[in-house]
Structure formats: C-alpha cells, structure tokens
Amino acid sequence: MIEKYQEQFSRLKFESNQPGVLEVIFSGPNLNAVDEATHSEIPAVWPVIDSDPEVRAVIVRGEGKAFSAGGDFGLIDKQIEDYEFRMRIMRESKELFYNLVNCSKPIISAIHGPAVGAGLVVALMADISIAAHDARIIDGHTRLGVAAGDHAVVWALFCGIPKAKYLLLTCKEISGQAAEQAGLVSLSVPKEELLDTAREVAGGLAEGAQEAIRWTKYSLNEWYRQNSAIFDVGLGLEFMGFGGPDVVEGVASHRERRKPVFTGVPQ
C-alpha cells in the first residue's frame, strides 16, 4: 500500500500500522512548514485515497514537534510577487477544501504542537479531529495581512460565529483542550495518548460498516456543501490580499520579529 503513495507524493510520508488504515504524515523542515511542492500534494492525495480499495480509514499527523507550521516564507513571497502563481495556490486551496469534503473515507487527525495554515485546514476538516491538550492551534492570516478566507466558514460551523470571530480576527492561539471545549475539535487527550487514541478510532472505523460510515460522512458534509459559497468568497478575498501592501509588511514583521505597522487603506 505504502510504496505507490510514496512514489507519487514525495513531500509527504506514509505509514500503515493497522489493516486498512493509511497514515498521511506532514514531514519537513521548520516544523513541517508547507512549501510550494507540498502545497500541491496536500489536495492531490485525497482523490487517490478515495479511489483506493485498500484504504478504509486515514490518519493525518505531523512528524516531530509539530503538526504543521503552515506556509513557509518562500511560498508566501512567491504569491506576493507572481500573480499566476498566486492563482495556482488559490486553486489548490480550493481543491483542498472540496477534495476533503468529497473523500468518502473517514479521516482522523492527530494534532500536536503548532497547527497553522494549510495544515490546520486538514486537521480541523478531518472527520474526527483529536488534539493533544497542549497543541497550539493558531490561524495567523490577519496577522500576516490577508483575510482568513479558507478558515472562516470552517471555524464558524464548528465553534459558532462569536468564537470564530474572536480567534480569527485576533489570531489568538488556542490549546487543544480549549479547542475541544469550544467545539473546534472532536476530542482532546494528553499528548502521550494522542497517537494511540487516533489509531484506536481509525481501527474501529476501518472495521465498521463501510457503506454506513461513508454515507453518514457524506450526509454530514452537506453542511460544507451548503455553505460552499461562503468559502469561495472568503478564499477570493484572502488571495486578493496577497496583492496588497499589508501582506508585505506582515511578512517583513514576521521575519524581523517585530510588531507590524499596517498602512493598507480600509475598504
């Protein structure tokens, strides 16, 4: 099972530790930051998994000290500088959302350490999201100087508009334990129990009634489909921001480890 995935997707790692369960692993430098090649692979892997009869459940997790630290500076810089590239990344972001929604196999995320950006989209949109108590869940879009477009509809559906606005507008970090209390993740467990818990859940789903599980997931994901217009608008507004002045200052302030001074004209 593993070899065919590893041949096709060189930026992700794969393991199979239980019958019918595929583990998709974020693995890379800078706390599994997402570079250009990885950003292309993350949406592309889900249709392949969906069509694989050997896979009945999926665990997605991060290697080392983090789930994923989000997009790296190279990915962000190129979006700012290159309109054609920016549109490609927007298309991939849209595909990630819809490919996760339409993948029939149940997906379980095991979230530890920092979880940010595109990696966090996968973590939260997993059918069952399990976070370590001390996981650090952060959406930093507005701190970067762009709209939190690909997160807005997801967070609002999960924890309600008031909490989503507070977390997305302020970029406040939330722990895995607090995220469970807010309804942002399915479950929070001590860090040392995280992977075992995820594997237990995945194993149970892999042994369950596949048609019943998949059609239940399909039905529940109608909430995403019903609200897909909100996602599409938010994503467009986010990528419009990559052509503005605030994101340049946001990136510079991150690099220089200082407070940003945004000068973009409010719309």
Side-chain angles (χ1 to χ4, degrees):
M1 180 194 296
I2 301 305
E3 292 75 15
K4 60 185 177 185
Y5 285 98
Q6 209 62 75
E7 288 174 5
Q8 188 170 350
F9 302 100
S10 62
R11 310 296 287 195
L12 300 169
K13 284 190 176 180
F14 302 89
E15 291 182 8
S16 181
N17 296 290
Q18 303 160 264
V21 178
L22 177 68
E23 297 188 14
V24 180
I25 306 164
F26 290 108
S27 176
N30 301 318
L31 301 177
N32 306 325
V34 175
D35 61 12
E36 177 181 342
T38 307
H39 197 277
S40 296
E41 290 192 1
I42 296 171
V45 72
W46 302 106
V48 178
I49 290 171
D50 191 42
S51 64
D52 187 347
E54 294 186 77
V55 177
R56 298 190 298 277
V58 183
I59 294 172
V60 59
R61 60 184 177 88
E63 191 171 60
K65 297 181 179 180
F67 187 85
S68 172
D72 68 11
F73 283 131
L75 182 71
I76 297 168
D77 287 340
K78 196 168 178 180
Q79 289 179 77
I80 294 169
E81 297 161 3
D82 185 334
Y83 175 81
E84 185 176 347
F85 180 76
R86 189 189 316 156
M87 292 300 98
R88 179 190 128 190
I89 298 300
M90 183 174 75
R91 183 179 66 251
E92 291 174 357
S93 299
K94 185 172 183 176
E95 289 170 353
L96 174 59
F97 176 87
Y98 287 104
N99 288 351
L100 284 167
V101 168
N102 293 323
C103 179
S104 65
K105 313 298 174 68
I107 303 165
I108 300 92
S109 60
I111 310 164
H112 78 291
V116 186
L120 181 55
V121 171
V122 179
L124 296 183
M125 287 188 67
D127 303 300
I128 299 174
S129 50
I130 306 172
H133 286 336
D134 61 353
R136 300 174 58 205
I137 296 171
I138 314 159
D139 182 80
H141 279 80
T142 62
R143 169 62 177 78
L144 186 65
V146 296
D150 60 344
H151 284 257
V153 67
V154 175
W155 291 52
L157 281 173
F158 291 173
C159 61
I161 289 176
K163 194 72 169 180
K165 283 183 176 179
Y166 173 68
L167 294 170
L168 295 176
L169 296 179
T170 65
C171 300
K172 293 291 186 182
E173 176 182 316
I174 185 170
S175 70
Q177 195 163 25
E180 181 191 11
Q181 293 167 356
L184 193 58
V185 299
S186 307
L187 181 67
S188 178
V189 297
K191 180 169 60 177
E192 59 273 15
E193 299 176 15
L194 178 64
L195 188 53
D196 286 343
T197 303
R199 286 173 174 166
E200 180 182 358
V201 172
L205 289 170
E207 294 171 356
Q210 295 303 294
E211 187 173 43
I213 289 169
R214 294 176 194 182
W215 283 124
T216 299
K217 169 176 176 170
Y218 185 91
S219 300
L220 288 167
N221 278 359
E222 287 299 301
W223 286 99
Y224 287 124
R225 297 183 185 96
Q226 186 179 44
N227 289 280
S228 61
I230 299 173
F231 169 78
D232 290 343
V233 169
L235 191 69
L237 292 170
E238 174 186 341
F239 280 84
M240 183 174 70
F242 279 103
D246 279 343
V247 69
V248 177
E249 168 62 11
V251 171
S253 66
H254 271 291
R255 283 195 166 110
E256 297 163 14
R257 300 182 182 276
R258 60 172 174 81
K259 186 178 179 179
V261 181
F262 294 121
T263 59
V265 178
Q267 299 301 312

